[in-house]
Amino acid sequence: MMLKPARSCLFFAVLGALSCSGALAADDSLGGLLLQDDGALAQPLHKGARPGAAAGGEADLLQRMGIEPPVAGGGTLAPDARSGRVGAADRATILHRMAEGLPDLPPEKPYTGVVDEAYGAYQRGLYVTALQKALPRAQLGDAVAQTLVGVLLSRGLGVARDAKAAAFWFKQAAENDDPPAMFRYALLLMEGEDVPRDKAKADEMMKKAAEAGNASAQFNYAQMLVADNPGERGLEQALPYYEKSAEQGIADAQYAVSQVYMSLPDIPEDKRAKAREWLLRAARAGYDTAQLDMGVWLVNGVGGPRDFDKGFQWLRIAALRGNVAAQNKLAYLYINALGTRPDPIEAAKWYVLSRRAGLADPGLEDFYLGLTDDQQKQAIDAANKFRPI
């Protein structure tokens, strides 16, 4: 079974059980003419957006309240020099003039737990110190310290990289029931790198880490169940692990939950109704395949009402990040003026980019060949200037 890493998790082939919406296929729901309707969905956040920042800021608010917004020493309220927003000192002055004192900071609760000096040094980037403090504990059987030594050796932090020695310490920590080490050692056993390959032991170790609450292990164990049990049975077995991982913020698991909720026939309606919510969380986390599907779902009304404007926005985000399937679909939106104004040059640009990446589409090719020579040249020039964000 072919494996490849994806961010913090390890992907397994799902053997067709889940829809592969990131695949280079041009014949799915967005090809050709699209259905027309409209709906609503919360506006997705964009890069640089500042949620909750109202137009006009505090100064306009005070003026509407009939209060002149002064600053210390007289004058008018000055925006922050870099952002154009009201600075922290001016906000304090506003609160004072509104007869609202600043609240006291809550008292810090005394920490009574054990201080791990080795991990503290690691978090501050003092890797040599971290190794010096962790190694004696690791040699005495401290599982947490053994995992830290394995991390330092595997990454070459504060010491020369030594993958075999790192594997030894991950094995020791895993056998001492440290969940992060169990997850790492399971990966080593599956890949057969620096330790003999042992799928049965890897499965056992991954399940143990998943049941101990490790979010990455939960996702990967779910993938293993799907790979080993094609069809609905595998999805049903995997779903509880996907859900636990998704709740802990793993975007890949959030995406998987959204797909399973829409795929299994016996999913309760209250869960199915949350499929788009899980997909949105994965999209907002920056998972480009989720951003692609979010756009497709909104345009086609999957999991909720249609919204061409929001669908266009999500497909554009994924296309700008280099997702080839999203680039292909974005071309159709520009052609059909769905969620945006018609723009043949932009449509042709996105077609050229997706075609260069290997995604053939006869419908878009016919569209492109129907443009004038000048329009084709403009589209090619725009494609040449494109750089993924």
Side-chain angles (χ1 to χ4, degrees):
M1 179 165 54
M2 297 298 294
L3 310 175
K4 64 175 182 178
R7 295 189 293 280
S8 63
C9 299
L10 184 71
F11 272 98
F12 287 80
V14 187
L15 305 183
L18 293 177
S19 62
C20 184
S21 55
L24 301 185
D27 58 351
D28 57 5
S29 57
L30 271 178
L33 295 178
L34 300 173
L35 299 176
Q36 298 185 9
D37 198 349
D38 199 6
L41 188 74
Q43 174 78 18
L45 293 176
H46 296 282
K47 185 176 180 182
R50 182 179 177 184
E58 291 94 336
D60 288 349
L61 173 62
L62 290 175
Q63 289 171 353
R64 291 196 298 272
M65 293 170 64
I67 301 174
E68 184 65 20
V71 296
T76 57
L77 192 66
D80 182 271
R82 289 173 298 176
S83 65
R85 299 186 182 278
V86 177
D90 295 325
R91 285 195 291 271
T93 303
I94 294 170
L95 290 173
H96 178 72
R97 293 296 296 263
M98 293 175 68
E100 292 187 20
L102 294 175
D104 295 330
L105 292 174
E108 291 188 14
K109 296 181 180 179
Y111 178 72
T112 58
V114 177
V115 176
D116 193 320
E117 294 182 353
Y119 263 95
Y122 170 76
Q123 290 170 336
R124 296 194 302 274
L126 305 175
Y127 302 126
V128 174
T129 301
L131 184 61
Q132 291 172 343
K133 292 183 176 296
L135 188 57
R137 289 167 44 196
Q139 292 168 335
L140 294 174
D142 185 320
V144 173
Q146 290 170 339
T147 299
L148 178 56
V149 172
V151 170
L152 293 169
L153 288 168
S154 67
R155 299 179 182 176
L157 301 174
V159 66
R161 185 178 181 275
D162 190 333
K164 289 189 178 296
F168 168 81
W169 286 112
F170 285 138
K171 179 177 184 291
Q172 299 302 310
E175 291 176 348
N176 286 326
D177 296 332
D178 184 56
M182 289 189 284
F183 169 66
R184 288 175 177 269
Y185 189 55
L187 297 184
L188 293 176
L189 290 169
M190 283 186 288
E191 295 169 354
E193 295 182 7
D194 305 310
V195 297
R197 189 175 187 277
D198 189 333
K199 184 181 184 305
K201 191 172 182 180
D203 291 356
E204 177 187 352
M205 194 67 68
M206 189 69 77
K207 180 180 180 181
K208 194 174 179 181
E211 292 181 345
N214 184 278
S216 296
Q218 289 165 343
F219 171 75
N220 282 279
Y221 185 62
Q223 295 285 75
M224 294 166 72
L225 289 170
V226 172
D228 292 341
N229 303 277
E232 293 181 4
R233 181 168 173 266
L235 293 175
E236 290 169 353
Q237 293 177 350
L239 182 56
Y241 293 98
Y242 280 138
E243 291 173 324
K244 292 174 184 177
S245 181
E247 290 286 358
Q248 295 194 66
I250 301 296
D252 306 273
Q254 293 168 345
Y255 175 78
V257 168
S258 73
Q259 304 302 303
V260 176
Y261 278 1
M262 295 300 294
S263 300
L264 287 179
D266 296 330
I267 288 292
E269 286 305 315
D270 60 330
K271 285 192 173 184
R272 197 183 304 279
K274 294 181 179 179
R276 186 184 280 190
E277 177 184 330
W278 281 113
L279 184 61
L280 182 60
R281 289 174 67 172
R284 285 178 169 169
Y287 188 12
D288 70 323
T289 303
Q291 293 167 345
L292 163 67
D293 274 17
M294 194 72 237
V296 173
W297 284 25
L298 286 163
V299 169
N300 288 332
V302 177
R306 287 194 180 118
D307 190 323
F308 294 131
D309 292 340
K310 303 302 186 297
F312 169 81
Q313 290 168 12
W314 277 116
L315 284 170
R316 185 172 183 273
I317 289 171
L320 288 170
R321 295 189 63 198
N323 187 291
V324 177
Q327 293 171 347
N328 170 274
K329 298 180 191 310
L330 194 61
Y332 277 108
L333 296 187
Y334 276 113
I335 293 171
N336 293 286
L338 295 175
T340 185
R341 293 181 178 180
D343 191 329
I345 305 302
E346 275 293 295
K349 178 190 82 173
W350 291 113
Y351 162 66
V352 169
L353 288 167
S354 62
R355 186 66 185 88
R356 285 176 178 175
L359 177 50
D361 187 322
L364 287 180
E365 182 177 359
D366 288 344
F367 160 78
Y368 178 79
L369 293 175
L371 298 176
T372 65
D373 290 344
D374 183 61
Q375 288 174 320
Q376 291 180 5
K377 182 179 181 304
Q378 291 181 56
I380 291 174
D381 288 343
N384 291 340
K385 294 176 182 177
F386 173 76
R387 298 293 182 273
I389 59 175

